[in-house]
Amino acid sequence: MRGKKLIVSESAIINASPAKIWEVIRSFDGVERYIPMVLKSEINGNHAGCERRCNIRLGPNQTANLVERLDSIDDNTRTLKYSIIDAPPPFPGLKGEVKVSDHEGKSKVVWSGDMPNSDKETSMTLSAIYKMALDGLKKLTED
């Protein structure tokens, strides 16, 4: 049933320092280095209000463009918030957050999204994307 607001959250412990993970996340650039479905990305700054444009793979022979706005970066709490402002359904309106914290000398990364007018299928898709991103971060940053 559509019309419900869903919050999807995935987390991972990564064997790298929070500073190293945060450096990758906070740059808001080069997301294709750790999310395989992103073929190319470019940003117009890395400050609140800037935009990231991504070309993403939706299927074997299908691509689409997606535009995200960087809503806030907090270096003290290592939290980045963004909104998807243009994308194919069901992604427009998604508000995402990535938070990096210390976990016994490693990093705990929590990636979450707040999706209006969502359903179980959309939630499962978003969960799979977040898991893909976290796995990619592990591969990119683990010592």
Side-chain angles (χ1 to χ4, degrees), residues 51-118:
E51 293 180 357
R52 174 169 61 197
R53 297 180 180 281
C54 300
N55 182 252
I56 59 173
R57 176 174 294 131
L58 296 176
N61 297 311
Q62 186 180 15
T63 62
N65 293 314
L66 177 133
V67 180
E68 299 167 302
R69 181 185 57 236
L70 179 57
D71 295 326
S72 66
I73 301 175
D74 186 330
D75 289 319
N76 292 324
T77 63
R78 293 189 187 105
T79 303
L80 180 144
K81 295 182 180 182
Y82 64 95
S83 300
I84 296 183
I85 55 176
D86 187 26
F91 301 108
L94 176 126
K95 296 202 177 292
E97 178 179 295
V98 185
K99 184 170 180 60
V100 181
S101 59
D102 181 67
H103 181 79
E104 300 172 359
K106 299 177 182 178
S107 295
K108 180 176 183 179
V109 182
V110 179
W111 203 309
S112 58
D114 178 343
M115 180 76 90
N117 300 318
S118 194

Side-chain angles (χ1 to χ4, degrees), residues 38-50:
V38 178
L39 303 172
K40 177 182 160 189
S41 71
E42 52 187 52
I43 60 172
N44 65 1
N46 87 337
H47 51 80
C50 77

